[in-house]
Each structure stands twice: as C-alpha cells, then as structure tokens.
Amino acid sequence: MSVETTTNREVIESYVAAWQARDPARIAAHFTDDGVRRWEIVVPIPIGGPNCFHGPKEIAKPIRSLLTAVPDLELEVRQLVETDQGALLEWVHTGTHTGAWNRLTPQGEHIEFSGVAVYKVTEGKIAEERLY
C-alpha cells in the first residue's frame, strides 16, 4: 500500500485518517520499511509488552490488538503542528474496552487516554513515531 503525500502535515493527516478508519494495515503502511514506533513512557504493568516496534509488519501487530480490544476506538486530534523534520500531534483515544488487550481483561468500560506524538518523516513516510 502506498501513501502519496507532499508535506509532512499531509503524511500525518493521512496517518490520522487511517487510525480513524481503524485499519491496522493502512496505519502501518505509513511507515518506512525500517520505521520505528516507540512508546517513550513507562508501559503500565497491567498492559505489559514491548514499547518499541520496527517496520510496518511489526508495527501493525499491537495496533491490530488495540483495535480488536477497543473496536469503537476513536482518535481526536487536538493539535497538529508541522516541523522541518516531521510533525507534532496532540491526540486523545476513546472507546469501549470489550476484548483482551495484553494483560488487561475487558470489562466493557469506557477508556480514554491521551498523548503527544513526535514524528520524523522521510520521503513521504514516517521514519519514527515517538509517543509520550
């Protein structure tokens, strides 16, 4: 799957649209072959698992897991700022936790979590996403 864009902002807007479509393959297709998606926060013990993923195939796995656990997951963009090297995105995810997600047992509760992502974009693809 190719992602055709001209500016760093358009790359991230397309990436956000893929999240809003809840399509793990389309989300992961925004990364370079050696792209990195890294959580810079300490992953809470109940969630567990690694905090860094390399390449679209590996990046898609935890995204697919999250979207399966929270099938109505929504992404709200609070702010998107283009930079020379990429972009900064302030975001909020909301949804209902109905499926297993790592060590978290589903209880049908509403979830909400927010963060900031820092992107490095190379030739129309995400080379690195760091999530805070």
Side-chain angles (χ1 to χ4, degrees):
M1 177 178 297
S2 126
V3 178
E4 296 181 27
T5 57
T6 57
T7 69
N8 294 340
R9 182 181 188 89
E10 289 173 332
V11 170
I12 303 310
E13 286 174 341
S14 177
Y15 181 63
V16 166
W19 269 100
Q20 290 170 332
R22 297 190 272 294
D23 184 338
R26 190 170 142 206
I27 293 165
H30 285 79
F31 287 84
T32 62
D33 289 343
D34 60 348
V36 175
R37 186 168 197 257
R38 177 186 310 273
W39 287 91
E40 295 291 348
I41 59 170
V42 175
V43 178
I45 291 171
I47 294 175
N51 69 338
C52 186
F53 304 91
H54 299 269
K57 188 174 181 178
E58 190 177 310
I59 287 168
K61 288 178 188 177
I63 292 169
R64 188 173 292 109
S65 175
L66 172 61
L67 292 172
T68 299
V70 187
D72 63 344
L73 186 76
E74 295 291 332
L75 170 61
E76 174 192 341
V77 173
R78 294 223 169 133
Q79 185 171 216
L80 173 58
V81 178
E82 186 173 24
T83 68
D84 290 342
Q85 292 186 352
L88 305 171
L89 177 70
E90 180 183 6
W91 52 268
V92 177
H93 275 307
T94 58
T96 308
H97 183 202
T98 60
W101 184 31
N102 292 331
R103 296 183 203 153
L104 293 176
T105 303
Q107 300 196 15
E109 72 272 23
H110 175 79
I111 63 166
E112 181 174 316
F113 55 102
S114 58
V116 173
V118 178
Y119 299 95
K120 287 186 183 174
V121 176
T122 304
E123 297 178 6
K125 292 243 182 176
I126 299 170
E128 181 181 41
E129 177 183 28
R130 286 179 287 138
L131 297 149
Y132 297 91

